[in-house]
Amino acid sequence: MNEVVLVGLAGLVGGAILALVFTWIRSKQSQGQLESAKQGASRIVEEAKKDAAVIRKEAEIQAKDSVLRGKADFEKEVREMRRELQSQEKRLIGKEELIDKRVDSVDKREAELSKRENALKSREKTNEDQAVECARQVDQARRQLEQVAGMTREEAKKSLIDEMTEEAKHDSAKRIRVIEEGAKEEAVRKAQKIVALAIERLAGDFVAERSVTVFPLPNDELKGKIIGREGRNIRALEAATGIDLIVDDTPETVIISGHNPIRREVARLSLEKLVADGRIHPGRIEEVVRKSEQELDEAIREAGQKAIFDVGIHGVHPEIVKLLGRLKYRYSYAQNVLLHSIEAAFICGHMAVELGLNEKQARRAALLHDIGKAVDHEVEGSHAIIGAELARKYGESPKIVNAIAAHHEDVKAETILAPLVDAADALSGARPGARREMMESYVRRLEDLERITNSFKGVEKSYAVQAGREIRVMVQHDIVSDDEAARMAREMARKIESEMTYPGQIKVTVIREMRSVDFAK
């Protein structure tokens, strides 16, 4: 029994000792894990601090970069604004100088007119004195004649009339025939002036030029290449060609905008080559633009030579040939100026043949009449005056120079060649289909034509026909006579001229018709 008790006590003591040992071991393990966790936490905190410092430094660097970029953009905008202001200032100075010149010219003209007015007043007074003296001498001579003849003025007049009456009766037929022949000769003499001056009706100054060219792209991905990194490609192309490139949301399209048609064509050719080649960068752009300019110069020269060959003239200065070729890329009221000049040359030549004038000279003047439009974007003034100066500079005859300068009445016509060119220009622009008009203005012109003619008394109805080139007016036969119909046509034409602006000429036809109706029963 005691042994059992001792064994139990020994087992209890051993179990207690084992429990204490196990508890001590667990305590040591817990302390080691705690120390390891503390060390891991310290390491994580240190790493977080290092990362925070790195992030702070990067943020500071980015902030500095943003400030520098903003400053650079601001300075760039300031420079661009300064350049624009300087450009505007130069234009204003140029306009002021032009205004001063015009004021001086007006002052000189006023002084000259004042001098002429004084001279006319002095001449009028002298004429009045001479008229009074002539009347006195005529009265004195008449009294002397009455004394010598032994009859009064009335008696002499009656006697002379009686003597001439019988002779006039026999001579009337002969005199009528002579008058008719003289009228025919006068008609032939005036026909040249009438044909040249009466048919001309200019279109005015309404010119709608094309200032943009639409360039199609195979796909929208090329827009990015054309623009380039930070826009350097498009800036290089604009700087090399002198035009604006508009790349917007329009699919597969780049718009070339500029007032100079030659520059637009250079830009179009350059874009065409760059897109086909695929290599688009500033260096390549400058090389392609130079090649395009050389190709365009050659095309311009060939176009000018072809126009001269087609018209059949020779001896034209090479610079005039080049200017003619530039007109191939110029449009006026949607009409190609080079084709218009060639057409006007043939029209003017035909009219010259009919009038017995020099056909070659007429064709030459009409072909060169719009030569000033080749450089009117670069030189200030009317294209007629600019063209005349160019023709004079390159050795054209004074008749050709005057015809060019006077074809829009900027100067006085000195020969019949000038109004012929004027008429050919108007006919070429006024023929159906030559020039485009807005539908609204076209309809409004027809309505105005009918409104003007319907305002006359006795008009039954009127119709604008031939695309507004003719107005046919039906009048009431019991109100308007034949003589009144002719007068009404003239008055309508004058009123249309004064109230409307139109290209070419408008034919006014007044129709008076009387119908007699009866019935057989």
Side-chain angles (χ1 to χ4, degrees):
M1 184 67 178
N2 288 332
E3 292 178 356
V4 173
V5 172
L6 287 173
V7 171
L9 288 172
L12 180 62
V13 171
I17 290 171
L18 288 173
L20 288 172
V21 172
F22 181 74
T23 302
W24 180 79
I25 292 172
R26 289 292 301 272
S27 175
K28 288 295 183 177
Q29 290 179 348
S30 298
Q31 288 178 359
Q33 291 177 352
L34 180 61
E35 289 297 329
S36 177
K38 286 181 179 180
Q39 291 177 1
S42 299
R43 186 171 61 256
I44 291 171
V45 169
E46 290 298 328
E47 290 177 355
K49 287 181 180 179
K50 291 180 180 179
D51 293 341
V54 171
I55 292 171
R56 185 171 61 254
K57 288 181 180 179
E58 289 180 353
E60 290 177 355
I61 292 172
Q62 290 179 357
K64 289 180 180 179
D65 290 342
S66 299
V67 171
L68 291 175
R69 284 197 300 271
K71 185 177 179 181
D73 293 339
F74 175 74
E75 291 177 353
K76 181 181 178 181
E77 291 179 359
V78 170
R79 288 195 299 271
E80 290 178 354
M81 291 176 64
R82 187 177 291 113
R83 285 197 297 268
E84 181 65 22
L85 289 174
Q86 290 175 354
S87 177
Q88 292 180 358
E89 184 178 359
K90 290 180 181 179
R91 288 198 296 269
L92 288 174
I93 292 173
K95 291 183 179 179
E96 289 178 357
E97 292 176 353
L98 179 61
I99 291 173
D100 292 340
K101 291 180 181 179
R102 291 182 177 177
V103 169
D104 294 341
S105 177
V106 170
D107 292 341
K108 292 179 181 179
R109 190 174 296 178
E110 288 181 353
E112 184 179 353
L113 290 174
S114 177
K115 186 184 297 184
R116 290 183 179 180
E117 184 179 1
N118 294 332
L120 288 174
K121 288 181 179 179
S122 176
R123 187 177 297 177
E124 287 178 357
K125 188 176 183 305
T126 302
N127 290 338
E128 290 177 357
D129 295 341
Q130 291 178 353
V132 171
E133 178 64 21
C134 288
R136 186 186 64 79
Q137 292 180 0
V138 168
D139 185 64
Q140 182 179 358
R142 184 170 57 249
R143 288 196 298 270
Q144 292 177 356
L145 284 173
E146 289 178 353
Q147 292 176 358
V148 171
M151 63 178 66
T152 63
R153 179 182 178 184
E154 288 73 15
E155 292 174 348
K157 185 186 296 185
K158 185 177 181 302
S159 175
L160 182 60
I161 290 173
D162 292 339
E163 291 178 0
M164 294 298 296
T165 299
E166 189 66 25
E167 183 180 354
K169 289 179 180 179
H170 295 288
D171 200 40
S172 59
K174 181 179 179 180
R175 288 182 177 273
I176 290 173
R177 186 170 60 255
V178 171
I179 291 172
E180 288 178 350
E181 292 177 355
K184 290 179 180 179
E185 294 177 357
E186 182 72 10
V188 171
R189 186 182 66 82
K190 288 185 177 180
Q192 296 179 349
K193 184 176 181 180
I194 291 173
V195 171
L197 299 178
I199 65 174
E200 57 176 328
R201 290 298 306 163
L202 298 181
D205 296 329
F206 299 102
V207 176
E209 298 180 3
R210 298 195 300 187
S211 60
V212 296
T213 300
V214 179
F215 181 79
L217 297 175
N219 53 69
D220 281 337
E221 295 178 359
L222 287 172
K223 288 185 178 180
K225 288 187 177 181
I226 293 173
I227 295 173
R229 185 177 181 182
E230 297 179 356
R232 63 176 186 173
N233 290 345
I234 195 170
R235 286 197 299 270
L237 189 55
E238 289 179 346
T241 58
I243 52 86
D244 294 329
L245 288 179
I246 302 173
V247 182
D248 53 17
D249 295 332
T250 307
E252 299 179 357
T253 297
V254 173
I255 297 176
I256 304 171
S257 176
H259 69 280
N260 192 314
I262 303 299
R263 293 178 183 174
R264 289 202 310 273
E265 183 64 16
V266 170
R268 188 192 69 79
L269 292 174
S270 301
L271 267 179
E272 190 174 77
K273 290 181 172 62
L274 290 170
V275 170
D277 183 56
R279 295 177 296 166
I280 304 177
H281 53 82
R284 175 65 177 165
I285 288 172
E286 293 178 359
E287 178 183 354
V288 169
V289 169
R290 285 196 298 269
K291 289 182 179 179
S292 299
E293 289 175 346
Q294 294 173 359
E295 291 178 7
L296 187 60
D297 287 340
E298 182 63 22
I300 287 173
R301 187 182 63 81
E302 290 178 359
Q305 290 178 344
K306 184 177 183 302
I308 291 173
F309 178 80
D310 291 342
V311 174
I313 61 177
H314 56 84
V316 181
H317 194 278
E319 288 298 324
I320 294 290
V321 176
K322 186 176 179 181
L323 292 172
L324 269 176
R326 288 169 66 94
L327 295 180
K328 178 182 178 181
Y329 303 97
R330 173 69 188 268
Y331 289 82
S332 176
Y333 218 52
Q335 184 182 28
N336 185 275
V337 178
L338 180 59
L339 297 180
H340 158 69
S341 299
I342 294 172
E343 186 176 73
F346 285 112
I347 293 174
C348 191
H350 290 317
M351 289 194 294
V353 171
E354 294 295 329
L355 298 174
L357 302 176
N358 189 324
E359 180 184 4
K360 294 288 185 180
Q361 191 178 56
R363 287 189 176 187
R364 191 185 193 99
L367 180 65
L368 303 180
H369 80 282
D370 274 344
I371 198 72
K373 288 185 177 180
V375 295
D376 63 351
H377 290 302
E378 305 166 2
V379 181
E380 186 174 358
S382 167
H383 73 272
I385 301 300
I386 296 172
E389 292 298 327
L390 290 171
R392 183 182 293 108
K393 177 180 178 181
Y394 295 118
E396 294 295 330
S397 66
K399 289 184 178 180
I400 302 295
V401 172
N402 178 255
I404 296 173
H407 84 273
H408 279 316
E409 301 180 354
D410 291 331
V411 300
K412 184 178 179 181
E414 298 175 356
T415 65
I416 196 172
L417 187 61
L420 271 182
V421 173
D422 196 351
D425 179 34
L427 290 173
S428 175
R431 65 172 178 79
R435 296 180 174 182
R436 300 176 188 168
E437 294 179 292
M438 295 294 290
M439 179 61 69
E440 183 180 356
S441 62
Y442 170 77
V443 174
R444 189 184 303 116
R445 190 179 74 210
L446 300 186
E447 292 175 350
D448 290 342
L449 271 176
E450 295 179 355
R451 175 184 56 79
I452 291 173
T453 54
N454 287 333
S455 65
F456 285 79
K457 183 180 178 181
V459 174
E460 184 176 0
K461 52 190 174 181
S462 59
Y463 302 102
V465 297
Q466 297 293 330
R469 307 299 182 194
E470 180 179 358
I471 182 76
R472 295 178 183 174
V473 184
M474 312 294 181
V475 297
Q476 301 175 4
H477 68 88
D478 54 343
I479 297 178
V480 180
S481 64
D482 290 339
D483 295 336
E484 289 174 345
R487 177 186 56 80
M488 185 180 291
R490 288 193 298 272
E491 291 179 356
M492 287 179 178
R494 300 293 86 75
K495 191 170 183 180
I496 291 171
E497 290 177 356
S498 63
E499 295 185 10
M500 293 184 61
T501 301
Y502 48 89
Q505 63 183 9
I506 297 177
K507 179 181 179 181
V508 180
T509 303
V510 177
I511 302 173
R512 178 180 180 271
E513 182 180 25
M514 182 179 67
R515 298 184 181 181
S516 300
V517 180
D518 200 358
F519 298 93
K521 299 180 180 179

